[in-house]
Amino acid sequence: MPRILAIDYGNKRVGLAVTDPLCMIASPLETIHSKDLVAYVQAYHQREPLRAIVVGMPRTLLNEPTDVTSAVVGLLRTLRRALPELPIHELDERFTSRMAHATMLAGGLGQKARRDKATVDRISATIILQSFLESPLMREV
């Protein structure tokens, strides 16, 4: 069964998360370099068919664009051209990094592990994906 993939985009690293085959549970997938993202997603889609993609849209607390927002808008355009058969959704990603740190702390990860930005990115992508699964947008997929 097709899965849903979530992307937490950063200029250097990208955190990825994916659902189980029933699209009920979000799990961290991996962290990759941002320049490899589109090729990675295309290859993943060939191996494991995707039902949709969710991309975290960075905004400030005042709902204004951040320094990464324009790069994410460009990524959305590129993904939609590269994978026209897949619905690609945007989801507000405010607070996901803070929530990722809180999750890691609650999960008992040590200070060194909590400083690992790749782990934070994967967990942030997982939070984005779980939020999508619990949102009304999920009905469209």
Side-chain angles (χ1 to χ4, degrees):
M1 297 187 78
R3 300 169 185 255
I4 300 172
L5 178 76
I7 299 171
D8 179 36
Y9 186 84
N11 288 324
K12 293 181 183 178
R13 282 178 321 280
V14 178
L16 300 170
V18 69
T19 62
D20 63 303
L22 297 176
C23 294
M24 296 176 72
I25 300 169
S27 300
L29 183 59
E30 68 179 285
T31 304
I32 62 171
H33 195 282
S34 58
K35 69 177 176 56
D36 302 327
L37 177 61
V38 175
Y40 179 92
V41 172
Q42 288 175 314
Y44 187 88
H45 181 45
Q46 285 187 314
R47 268 190 334 272
E48 296 278 339
L50 294 173
R51 181 171 165 184
I53 297 174
V54 180
V55 179
M57 182 57 72
R59 308 292 290 177
T60 67
L61 292 177
L62 299 174
N63 201 27
E64 296 173 348
T66 70
D67 55 338
V68 182
T69 303
S70 63
V72 173
V73 170
L75 169 68
L76 288 166
R77 239 182 270 121
T78 301
L79 285 172
R80 286 181 175 130
R81 272 194 308 266
L83 300 160
E85 71 279 10
L86 286 178
I88 299 176
H89 301 275
E90 303 169 31
L91 194 75
D92 188 339
E93 71 164 28
R94 280 179 280 189
F95 305 114
T96 55
S97 292
R98 187 173 296 157
M99 290 167 66
H101 282 287
T103 301
M104 291 170 20
L105 186 61
L109 286 179
Q111 188 173 11
K112 185 177 179 182
R114 290 193 312 265
R115 284 190 189 145
D116 180 15
K117 293 181 191 277
T119 302
V120 174
D121 292 338
R122 281 191 303 275
I123 293 174
S124 292
T126 306
I127 292 168
I128 290 167
L129 185 52
Q130 192 63 46
S131 296
F132 178 80
L133 294 175
E134 295 167 2
S135 79
L137 291 171
M138 182 59 190
R139 288 186 217 126
E140 297 174 19
V141 178

